[in-house]
Amino acid sequence: MLDTNVKNQLKTYLQNLKHPVELVVSTDDSKKSAELKSLAQDIVDSSALVSSTEATGLRSPSMTVINPELATSITFAGLPMGHEFTSLVLALLHSGGHPIKLDADIIEQIRTLPGQYHFETYVSLSCQTCPEVIQALNMMAAINPNITNVMIDGALFQQEVEQRNIMSVPSVYLNGESFSVGAISVVEVLNKLDKNAGSRKAEQLNQKSAFDVLVVGGGPAGASAAIYAARKGLTTGIVAEKFGGQVAETVGIENFISVSKTEGPKLVANLENHVKDYDVDVMENQKVVKIASNGLFDVELANGATLQSKTVLLATGARWREMNVPGEKEYRGKGVAYCPHCDGPLFKGKRVAVIGGGNSGIEAAIDLANIVEHVTVLEFDSILRADEVLQRKAKSMGNITIITQAQTTKVNGDGNRVTGLTYTDRQTGGSHEVTLAGIFVQIGLVPNTEWLKGVIDLTPRGEIIVDARGQTSIPGIFAAGDVTNTPYKQIIIAMGSGATASLGAFDYLIRHSDTDTNVVKVA
């Protein structure tokens, strides 16, 4: 199943096992089952501490990783290859006693969590967000025997997907009921299960001393800003809903100078590791809702905590723009999607639409055309804005139809899922309906600045207006990345602007340390 190079790597990883691990394999006569049996044998051959047995009556094909000492279990229903192979390796390591990279207080909170929790997580093996969710739940399952998690390949177990009306991944069920859709971290899971977790965390955050620089946002701009601030010897914090931002959902990155090709999750992991090389206080799973000046800057969080800082650097990034038409919100996750790489496999053999004719839209159409029956691209303008090479590729494929001057006016559905859409021909005024199973929205980004309206100067598009040093209309508040009016929303530009804004904040602190009451002297 595995090639020689991967087998050798696996043997190296499994040398970190501290105690035995058991594999329970359930198979049928399918090709995937044969491949899973081969994979299980490769794992057994890679370590003397791994054994394998066969079972019946379970989902087939499936493989359960068991720690016999703690009676923990983690199941992979399907063949955990692609992005999920890393999840399998981590499950083996964690079940075999290799240390789990979570804070000690989080591990203890998981270990003492009362109740029984059976998670089932539906994924697609091309989804880059899914492994984060699988790994989060698997870590919890490796710590507490009363928590189990089953990774289910949605493309393989289509009957279950249809029965549960799952049209977006990762989709998590807890004890048979829908629990979450999309990215979710260990802390977010705990906050949903442990109702007092949020208030306890707020109390901890309230005790923190004031920062020199507090970065709001954990994407490339925020990471760059934090590194530059820490290197200047400033007390630095990052507060963010999640580390990585939009980059974590980016599949292929080929324009990051000095790196010929990488993937979003890999780049995010490198950013996070680089930040951790410095004394930066990273506070994830925290949403900032308000900022005010009271001698220092007060940064209020959604959980009620307040952080203080001498300067603030806003790097909250942007999110996918919505169509804002009837039916879009009602059918989000039920046919309306924003990530073709994640959710595309769930529409295998069906007809879908892509809204938007820019690079993102045409790239999505090309990717989807290899999976689905047919793709209809709807572009509002009279021309496509995608690169010519992408347009040629799309037009050469036999199952992509491109319609320009098309204004989507409604998402149609039967109450459970999308059945099509309605659009207006902007040239003739005629209304048309298209029968579809899925709609992928790819019409650009919206800056995350709703909470800043009336606080600092924004452009009509909602972007933060910054000067050459990254400073906003309020002295001491800086901004960087896609959330600003800096043109060309690119990863490398966001990183550069993060460095610029951080150096701007450092310069501001030096020049105002003795004269401005809004800051105190930097040590």
Side-chain angles (χ1 to χ4, degrees):
M1 178 61 194
L2 301 177
D3 62 34
T4 302
N5 183 46
V6 175
K7 286 181 181 179
N8 290 334
Q9 291 180 15
L10 184 60
K11 287 181 181 179
T12 301
Y13 285 130
L14 295 188
Q15 288 176 4
N16 293 301
L17 295 178
K18 302 294 191 298
H19 52 68
V21 174
E22 295 179 1
L23 303 181
V24 178
V25 182
S26 176
T27 59
D28 51 28
D29 57 0
S30 67
K31 180 181 178 182
K32 289 295 182 183
S33 284
E35 292 174 341
L36 184 65
K37 289 180 71 173
S38 177
L39 174 61
Q41 188 60 53
D42 286 342
I43 296 171
V44 171
D45 292 342
S46 298
S47 173
L49 289 175
V50 181
S51 60
S52 176
T53 59
E54 293 191 14
T56 58
L58 305 175
R59 285 186 181 91
S60 295
S62 70
M63 178 167 61
T64 300
V65 181
I66 294 175
N67 175 338
E69 181 179 332
L70 297 178
T72 61
S73 68
I74 299 166
T75 299
F76 295 85
L79 188 65
M81 300 303 291
H83 295 308
E84 294 298 352
F85 184 68
T86 299
S87 301
L88 171 62
V89 174
L90 288 173
L92 291 164
L93 291 173
H94 294 156
S95 298
H98 189 64
I100 295 175
K101 293 183 178 180
L102 290 174
D103 292 341
D105 58 336
I106 297 296
I107 291 177
E108 184 60 23
Q109 185 181 1
I110 296 169
R111 195 190 314 277
T112 59
L113 194 65
Q116 298 280 338
Y117 304 96
H118 177 61
F119 290 100
E120 296 171 293
T121 308
Y122 292 84
V123 306
S124 66
L125 299 184
S126 60
C127 168
Q128 298 214 118
T129 303
C130 294
E132 295 181 16
V133 177
I134 291 296
Q135 289 160 27
L137 295 173
N138 283 354
M139 283 192 291
M140 295 179 67
I143 294 169
N144 188 333
N146 294 323
I147 301 173
T148 58
N149 182 47
V150 183
M151 182 219 79
I152 304 169
D153 181 354
L156 188 60
F157 292 88
Q158 292 182 342
Q159 185 175 354
E160 288 188 35
V161 169
E162 292 289 336
Q163 288 174 345
R164 284 182 161 171
N165 197 30
I166 295 168
M167 306 189 77
S168 184
V169 292
S171 186
V172 181
Y173 279 72
L174 172 59
N175 298 335
E177 301 293 332
S178 180
F179 181 77
S180 70
V181 178
I184 190 168
S185 67
V186 169
V187 173
E188 289 172 310
V189 173
L190 286 172
N191 285 342
K192 294 186 72 170
L193 300 180
D194 184 352
K195 300 304 180 183
N196 295 320
S199 60
R200 291 198 302 270
K201 185 63 178 179
E203 291 177 7
Q204 294 175 4
L205 294 173
N206 279 329
Q207 301 304 313
K208 291 183 180 291
S209 301
F211 296 95
D212 292 326
V213 178
L214 181 61
V215 180
V216 182
S224 173
I227 290 169
Y228 267 74
R231 286 176 61 85
K232 290 295 185 181
L234 303 175
T235 55
T236 306
I238 291 179
V239 57
E241 292 187 61
K242 72 171 184 175
F243 203 96
Q246 284 282 337
V247 176
E249 301 173 8
T250 304
V251 178
I253 300 172
E254 299 180 359
N255 58 356
F256 189 71
I257 308 306
S258 83
V259 180
S260 299
K261 186 173 183 179
T262 187
E263 296 177 342
K266 291 182 181 179
L267 180 57
V268 169
N270 289 337
L271 285 174
E272 190 167 11
N273 289 335
H274 197 175
V275 168
K276 289 179 178 178
D277 286 341
Y278 298 92
D279 188 16
V280 176
D281 189 347
V282 180
M283 296 158 280
E284 284 193 84
N285 305 296
Q286 302 298 331
K287 182 178 181 180
V288 176
V289 295
K290 186 178 180 181
I291 185 170
S293 178
N294 184 24
L296 298 169
F297 288 110
D298 290 336
V299 179
E300 185 178 326
L301 309 183
N303 64 6
T306 299
L307 301 170
Q308 292 189 317
S309 186
K310 302 165 193 175
T311 62
V312 175
L313 199 154
L314 304 170
T316 49
R319 65 186 184 278
W320 288 113
R321 185 181 299 277
E322 299 176 354
M323 297 182 292
N324 293 317
V325 300
E328 181 178 16
K329 289 185 178 180
E330 292 85 340
Y331 291 102
R332 181 177 297 168
K334 298 179 181 179
V336 175
Y338 301 85
C339 180
H341 307 289
C342 299
D343 298 335
L346 299 179
F347 296 87
K348 183 178 180 179
K350 299 178 180 178
R351 303 178 72 87
V352 302
V354 172
I355 311 301
N359 281 347
S360 296
I362 299 304
E363 285 176 354
I366 293 170
D367 287 345
L368 289 166
N370 293 313
I371 303 171
V372 304
E373 178 187 344
H374 187 270
V375 182
T376 300
V377 177
L378 300 179
E379 165 57 41
F380 183 85
D381 205 347
S382 59
I383 59 172
L384 299 180
R385 299 188 180 278
D387 294 342
E388 184 62 31
V389 63
L390 294 175
Q391 292 190 43
R392 288 199 302 269
K393 175 63 175 177
K395 291 173 181 177
S396 72
M397 303 183 77
N399 61 341
I400 297 179
T401 299
I402 298 173
I403 304 174
T404 57
Q405 298 200 73
Q407 180 178 1
T408 305
T409 56
K410 184 181 179 183
V411 173
N412 304 320
D414 60 7
N416 294 315
R417 60 182 64 201
V418 166
T419 59
L421 62 76
T422 302
Y423 76 91
T424 298
D425 185 322
R426 296 178 58 240
Q427 186 173 25
T428 66
S431 180
H432 304 271
E433 290 191 4
V434 182
T435 299
L436 302 160
I439 301 170
F440 292 85
V441 184
Q442 303 282 291
I443 53 176
L445 300 171
V446 178
N448 295 313
T449 56
E450 288 82 1
W451 62 286
L452 291 169
K453 290 180 180 178
V455 179
I456 57 177
D457 290 348
L458 306 174
T459 69
R461 293 171 55 88
E463 299 167 323
I464 300 173
I465 299 172
V466 294
D467 64 16
R469 289 178 170 80
Q471 185 163 254
T472 69
S473 57
I474 297 180
I477 298 182
F478 297 78
D482 288 1
V483 75
T484 72
N485 63 332
T486 301
Y488 313 120
K489 312 302 185 185
Q490 299 290 311
I491 296 170
I492 196 165
I493 293 174
M495 287 185 175
S497 69
T500 297
S502 187
L503 293 173
F506 176 68
D507 184 69
Y508 175 87
L509 287 167
I510 292 175
R511 295 177 184 276
H512 294 79
S513 59
D514 294 317
T515 60
D516 197 320
T517 58
N518 194 47
V519 296
V520 295
K521 189 171 183 179
V522 181

